[in-house]
Structure formats: structure tokens, C-alpha cells
Amino acid sequence: MITENGTHTGTEAGTGQPGLSPADTAKNAAACRAVDFVEDGMRVGLGTGSTAAFMVRRLGQLVREAGLRVTGVPTSSRTAALARDEGIHVVTLAEAGWLDLTIDGADEFDPAFNLIKGGGGAHLQEKVVATASDRMIVIADPDKDVAQLGAFPLPVEVLQFGWEVTQRLIAELLEGQDVASRGITRRMGAEGPFVTDEGNFILDLHLGRIGNPPALALALNQIAGVVENGLFIDICDVVVIGHPDGHVTVRDRHSGRETSHGAVPDNAFSGLGG
């Protein structure tokens, strides 16, 4: 099983492998199907989170056993460590220059392919990497599919300096936004305030419902002290949804098509090196 921080506890990454919970089977199915979009020689943004960890392990398996050549740009220190462990060639975004695609998870996505990301605290790097890519593919389980964003708290990364003032300015902004509630909490870790890879705090906005995600995303980033928010607007191109029985649904924003794919069989990973 792969935990939220990307650590491995002994279960292989193949869809249909014994020992996976229904939720992990769904995440794993989506991750494996998304890796089918990766072609030899591509430069790929590697997302952060439990679903993305399945993707990184599947990609690493193809690198080791099928000779797939890829260059990975991780979106967090956690993902970088996992990718190196899997044998994936890792470089910085500056070294890569531009990416063919990014594969990442999401905390919520709506019918317009808007996303909330940042449950793992890496949405700043995730957004930079995703916008430096020709395509972004989101991998998720059905619980992330929502009619309207906002049930999941919206992460906003803020400077530590003056964060209390930034929080007050955000609270004032929310009074004029189409949201259901306006609670704000500073994210905490095991030993105090959660600190991102960039050394910033995260404020989680408990909004319940976001009536106009593009307007809110734009307004938040105009506040001094806000580094970036977790709303991904007009960035995602494809959503791959894994289901507990192992089958996958693929939605394409540009074509408007939705396709279904059967569960990956247990022997899907045999003969990869042939």
C-alpha cells in the first residue's frame, strides 16, 4: 500500500494486485491508465499525493522493466525522493525547460475541469509545473468528482511574515464572494504550523461552496502576502477516474468525450521487459 506521504508498505503498483483496499484500487487504476499517455522520451511533471504516488511507482516500473525513457520533474521533495527510488531520471523545471505533460491528483474537480488542489501542501509547485506543460492529466477516484467546488477546504499558501494580516484581508475578501461559509484555519502539522517546501504557511478556507471559482482565484492572488491558491482554472485537460472495481473513466475537456475502460487484468505487468 502507498500512504499519503508516498511511502511504500509492500504492495505492488499493479491494478488488481491483492491487498489493495477498494479506494486504493480506484486510485491505482486511474494512475496506471494515466501512465498510458506517457511516450518514450517525454518530460513529465510528477504530482504529489497518494494517487500520484501510485503513478510514480507505475512509471518507475516501466522505466526499469520496459526500458521507458522519461525525464521527471517532481512537484515536491516527497515526490522527488520517491521518483529517484523508482529509478526515474529527475531534473528541475529549469533544466527541463518545458514539459510534455503533467500527471497529478486532485482533491476536487467539477464539470468544467476546475480543480481544488493542495491537500498535501504542494499546490504552488504543482501549479507551476502544470502550467509549464502541454497537457495536464488529473488522476482521481469518484469521490473527487463534484458538481460544485468547495466542500474540500481551499488551501491558500501565504508568507509567514504578516500572515495574520493576510488572513484578515482574505476574510474581508470572502464577504463579497459567492461562497456558502467563510471559515479560515491555519494548517497545523505534527510539531506546529505546517510549513511548505518554500517555507510558507497554508491557510485553509472552509467555504462549503464556491459559486465562481475563476473570480475567487483571481481575487485571492491580488492580496499582498498570498503566494498562491489551490484553485486550478483552465489548466486540466483530461481527468482519469479510477473506480473500486478497477475500471476507468476518461474525460477529455477539449473533445467533450467520455470513455470507459475495463479493469487492468492481473497479468498486465507480465512481459514488460520483452
Side-chain angles (χ1 to χ4, degrees):
M1 180 178 178
I2 301 175
T3 63
E4 284 294 334
N5 64 6
T7 57
H8 188 248
T9 58
T11 301
E12 288 301 320
T15 306
Q17 295 295 317
L20 289 181
S21 68
D24 281 347
T25 295
K27 294 176 181 180
N28 196 29
C32 290
R33 184 64 64 183
V35 169
D36 290 343
F37 287 88
V38 179
E39 299 176 5
D40 194 56
M42 276 189 169
R43 294 163 294 180
V44 182
L46 307 175
T48 295
S50 59
T51 310
F54 281 109
M55 176 270 298
V56 173
R57 290 197 175 278
R58 172 60 174 155
L59 195 59
Q61 184 181 26
L62 292 175
V63 167
R64 296 189 308 273
E65 300 180 17
L68 181 68
R69 296 172 301 163
V70 294
T71 299
V73 175
T75 56
S76 68
S77 56
R78 301 191 303 277
T79 297
L82 179 61
R84 291 189 181 99
D85 287 346
E86 289 296 318
I88 298 171
H89 177 52
V90 171
V91 300
T92 65
L93 182 57
E95 291 169 328
W98 192 260
L99 305 180
D100 297 288
L101 61 86
T102 287
I103 305 175
D104 203 349
D107 298 302
E108 286 184 344
F109 64 90
D110 69 11
F113 290 74
N114 297 316
L115 317 173
I116 286 182
K117 290 180 52 56
H123 60 279
L124 173 56
Q125 288 192 28
E126 289 171 337
K127 189 176 285 190
V128 171
V129 169
T131 54
S133 306
D134 287 337
R135 287 193 299 172
M136 181 189 190
I137 299 172
V138 164
I139 48 180
D141 60 77
D143 289 343
K144 309 302 190 300
D145 186 1
V146 299
Q148 195 165 34
L149 300 180
F152 191 91
L154 174 63
V156 179
E157 186 162 342
V158 300
L159 295 175
Q160 290 197 37
F161 174 77
W163 71 269
E164 300 95 338
V165 174
T166 304
Q167 178 173 336
R168 187 157 59 246
L169 291 171
I170 292 173
E172 292 175 0
L173 168 70
L174 292 178
E175 292 179 4
Q177 294 292 315
D178 181 11
V179 295
S181 57
R182 300 179 178 85
I184 304 176
T185 57
R186 181 172 57 157
R187 188 175 300 184
M188 303 300 291
E191 300 178 356
F194 179 89
V195 178
T196 69
D197 281 355
E198 291 75 32
N200 301 314
F201 287 158
I202 288 183
L203 300 178
D204 287 313
L205 312 188
H206 304 268
L207 306 177
R209 176 187 54 79
I210 301 173
N212 190 335
L216 179 59
L218 180 62
L220 284 170
N221 281 3
Q222 293 176 336
I223 294 176
V226 170
V227 180
E228 188 54 83
N229 68 83
L231 285 167
F232 282 51
I233 309 298
D234 198 28
I235 297 175
C236 173
D237 299 288
V238 175
V239 176
V240 181
I241 308 166
H243 299 269
D245 65 357
H247 90 275
V248 173
T249 304
V250 179
R251 296 179 187 169
D252 188 296
R253 176 164 68 101
H254 304 289
S255 71
R257 291 197 302 265
E258 177 175 310
T259 57
S260 294
H261 306 265
V264 177
D266 291 343
N267 63 355
F269 307 103
S270 62
L272 286 175

